[in-house]
Amino acid sequence: MSSSSITLKGSYTVRPSEPTLSEWDQFGIITHVPTIYFYRPPQNWLTPPIKIATTLKDSLSKVLVHFYPLAGRLQWKTNGRFELECNAKGAQFIEAESSSTLSDFRDFSSSSKNDYRNLFPFVDYTLPIEELPLVIIQLTNFKCGGISISMLVSHAVVDGRSASHFFCEWAQLARGEPLNRVPFLHSNMLNDGKPCNGVKEWNFSELPVLLGNLKSNVEKKRNKTTVAKVKVSKIQVEKLRKIANESWNKSSNDRSYSRYETITGHLWRSACKARGHENDQPTWLGVSVDWRSRVKPNLSKEYFGNATMDVMATSLAGDLISKPLGYASSRIREAIEKVDDEYVRMVSECIKKQDDLTKFQNLDEVVSGNIVPFYKNPNLGVISWLTLPLHGLDFGWGKAVYMEPGIHEIYEGESLILPTLHDDGSLLIFICLQEVYMDAFKIYFYEGIELDTVVK
């Protein structure tokens, strides 16, 4: 039999025939979002401490079968767009030991940016994006026997609801139980051929800037920032809601202002006062809206990906300050209620038409070390985690005694509202402002409600 020769005719990279990420995954924050859970050592671990790392790694490998996009890597395309390559490269798992004890964290009451920083994995964003895992976990063992589990998940792939779904199912498998809710994986839910008619082109407006002398404003922006962690009791929340609902005209058919609309309006007004805004200062407040239930047909609650969008409540600072709380809440409600099926589809189409998305992403600022947050003086952004299953995460050795977002990763003008550990109706708020305004903010925030809680 005669030998034959082979001539290579070409080598090609074959990409998926359809997008593996939706337009919503291409837009906004594309870095990792951090959270951390702390566990005290019970007298009798259901899982021996020596097996904790093995249990976590084994169950993580199993849950990634179902949530396989998180085991992949991002790949840059062109003009700020990227795609997800489901190449099963996996998550990163880090084990660490600390000479600290859980009691060293002062019952987790501190608001210092640096208290927990070394308990989170470091992400080197100078590396090519295709080398960065989408999920990075750090298990830290304390000398008292307690542990912390910090989790970093890429916001380019999931939003808060999807990340929480992933954590809950991971814990479920770690306990030896079957998967509870299977993720609904479909990146093109809005590409159903349904036309978007009668809506004008969405306007990507620039956020307002501080009025006044440009040089002075540049110097103000260089002021050091700090994060405050404030607790609001259930009684205080209900008192604010009563004030909001009784202080602004609503028709008899309108529902009462929600906790979010009330607390966020109060945050907005307090920040304007603390920052010393002029009456004619324009200020915007960014609201992140989950649109799963706002499109027709509704997306599955298990829809896995990014299904949130930011909308802006707008006002003059003088109106916010001089008018009652209900006015601020009404501006926030107006922004939220415009997010309907037609609006979501319109924004999706407008994102698709953008020639370059890099101006809407923040990775370059992270790489350069020159963080330019989306919300900064005179604006504010308030994210709600009020409906997420944050607490009670149990991997088989009991529920977490404390959970916290990675507050060292929030920047000036950003804030976050979440329920407290005991789910008793009280709320925990993290807000980052320039240090020179923080004391005044706390005073204004607690004006009109009982000072029955310690402000850290």
Side-chain angles (χ1 to χ4, degrees):
M1 183 177 180
S2 61
S3 61
S4 61
S5 63
I6 299 294
T7 301
L8 294 178
K9 301 292 291 182
S11 176
Y12 311 93
T13 299
V14 180
R15 299 295 185 190
S17 60
E18 296 182 1
T20 53
L21 292 174
S22 73
E23 294 301 321
W24 301 94
D25 299 315
Q26 314 274 348
F27 186 82
I29 300 173
I30 60 173
T31 52
H32 293 74
V33 176
T35 53
I36 189 167
Y37 291 81
F38 292 88
Y39 298 85
R40 296 191 190 278
Q43 291 183 345
N44 296 304
W45 283 95
L46 296 178
T47 301
I50 196 171
K51 294 185 179 179
I52 287 176
T54 301
T55 299
L56 288 173
K57 286 185 287 186
D58 287 349
S59 55
L60 181 59
S61 69
K62 293 176 182 176
V63 77
L64 286 174
V65 173
H66 303 279
F67 292 81
Y68 60 84
L70 292 178
R73 295 293 185 271
L74 297 176
Q75 300 280 344
W76 283 115
K77 294 170 69 177
T78 56
N79 299 327
R81 285 176 165 80
F82 45 84
E83 62 187 18
L84 175 63
E85 185 175 346
C86 294
N87 51 21
K89 287 194 173 181
Q92 183 179 10
F93 188 93
I94 299 167
E95 289 186 70
E97 291 186 355
S98 173
S99 58
S100 300
T101 65
L102 294 186
S103 61
D104 292 333
F105 295 100
R106 292 172 287 171
D107 294 325
F108 311 106
S109 61
S110 172
S111 60
S112 170
K113 284 186 176 184
N114 299 314
D115 274 0
Y116 308 147
R117 185 179 292 274
N118 62 352
L119 302 180
F120 287 92
F122 170 74
V123 183
D124 185 357
Y125 287 109
T126 64
L127 294 174
I129 199 168
E130 60 269 18
E131 295 183 18
L132 297 178
L134 302 180
V135 174
I136 308 173
I137 308 297
Q138 179 171 320
L139 166 66
T140 303
N141 295 280
F142 299 97
K143 68 179 182 180
C144 63
I147 63 171
S148 68
I149 304 173
S150 58
M151 312 170 183
L152 273 62
V153 182
S154 173
H155 208 322
V157 182
V158 296
D159 57 16
R161 185 167 298 281
S162 292
S164 295
H165 183 193
F166 169 70
F167 297 153
C168 290
E169 298 303 327
W170 177 21
Q172 190 97 355
L173 295 183
R175 298 195 304 268
E177 300 173 12
L179 206 70
N180 183 30
R181 296 185 297 125
V182 177
F184 185 77
L185 301 168
H186 197 310
S187 62
N188 299 303
M189 289 302 295
L190 296 183
N191 294 344
D192 54 9
K194 183 177 178 180
C196 176
N197 300 319
V199 181
K200 294 181 180 179
E201 184 81 2
W202 186 43
N203 180 26
F204 292 92
S205 301
E206 295 290 335
L207 292 172
V209 296
L210 282 173
L211 301 176
N213 182 277
L214 178 61
K215 181 178 179 181
S216 174
N217 288 339
V218 170
E219 290 175 353
K220 287 181 181 178
K221 291 177 182 178
R222 292 174 180 166
N223 288 340
K224 185 178 178 182
T225 62
T226 186
V227 177
K229 180 168 62 175
V230 294
K231 182 179 177 182
V232 186
S233 70
K234 180 180 179 180
I235 293 174
Q236 291 172 328
V237 172
E238 292 307 314
K239 180 170 184 177
L240 282 174
R241 288 190 68 189
K242 187 173 187 292
I243 293 171
N245 284 296
E246 293 179 353
S247 66
W248 198 249
N249 295 329
K250 300 197 312 296
S251 71
S252 58
N253 295 326
D254 287 344
R255 59 179 173 81
S256 298
Y257 289 121
S258 67
R259 291 183 301 171
Y260 177 81
E261 292 164 339
T262 302
I263 294 295
T264 300
H266 190 53
L267 280 169
W268 196 10
R269 297 176 80 233
S270 301
C272 287
K273 293 176 184 178
R275 287 164 162 175
H277 288 162
E278 300 292 334
N279 287 338
D280 59 347
Q281 172 66 61
T283 173
W284 289 11
L285 182 132
V287 180
S288 184
V289 180
D290 185 332
W291 47 263
R292 286 170 174 80
S293 63
R294 294 173 177 266
V295 293
K296 299 177 182 178
N298 293 170
L299 292 189
S300 165
K301 293 181 179 179
E302 284 72 41
Y303 173 80
F304 191 74
N306 279 292
T308 58
M309 66 181 300
D310 285 354
V311 292
M312 298 295 169
T314 64
S315 179
L316 294 179
D319 288 337
L320 286 175
I321 293 170
S322 63
K323 294 179 180 180
L325 174 59
Y327 168 76
S329 298
S330 72
R331 301 299 296 160
I332 295 165
R333 174 171 293 185
E334 181 180 329
I336 294 172
E337 289 188 340
K338 72 182 178 182
V339 181
D340 57 13
D341 180 77
E342 191 170 34
Y343 189 83
V344 172
R345 292 174 186 277
M346 178 265 293
V347 173
S348 180
E349 288 302 312
C350 290
I351 296 174
K352 291 178 184 177
K353 293 177 183 178
Q354 295 297 310
D355 293 331
D356 191 344
L357 290 179
T358 53
K359 63 180 178 180
F360 304 114
Q361 299 163 348
N362 72 341
L363 185 60
D364 288 341
E365 286 81 5
V366 174
V367 170
S368 67
N370 181 28
I371 298 294
V372 181
F374 293 115
Y375 307 112
K376 53 190 174 184
N377 195 0
N379 309 301
L380 207 66
V382 185
I383 295 175
S384 170
W385 282 8
L386 291 174
T387 61
L388 300 184
L390 301 173
H391 303 297
L393 199 62
D394 182 357
F395 288 90
W397 41 82
K399 295 180 179 181
V401 296
Y402 187 70
M403 171 271 170
E404 186 172 289
I407 60 173
H408 58 280
E409 296 297 340
I410 67 174
Y411 304 101
E412 206 272 331
E414 294 184 352
S415 54
L416 178 66
I417 306 175
L418 60 157
T420 57
L421 175 66
H422 302 294
D423 198 24
D424 56 2
S426 58
L427 305 178
L428 202 58
I429 301 168
F430 297 89
I431 182 167
C432 182
L433 295 175
Q434 291 175 322
E435 210 169 57
V436 293
Y437 303 130
M438 189 58 80
D439 286 343
F441 167 79
K442 292 175 183 177
I443 293 172
Y444 289 124
F445 183 79
Y446 280 103
E447 272 188 347
I449 58 177
E450 295 85 1
L451 283 165
D452 60 356
T453 187
V454 177
V455 182
K456 299 295 179 182

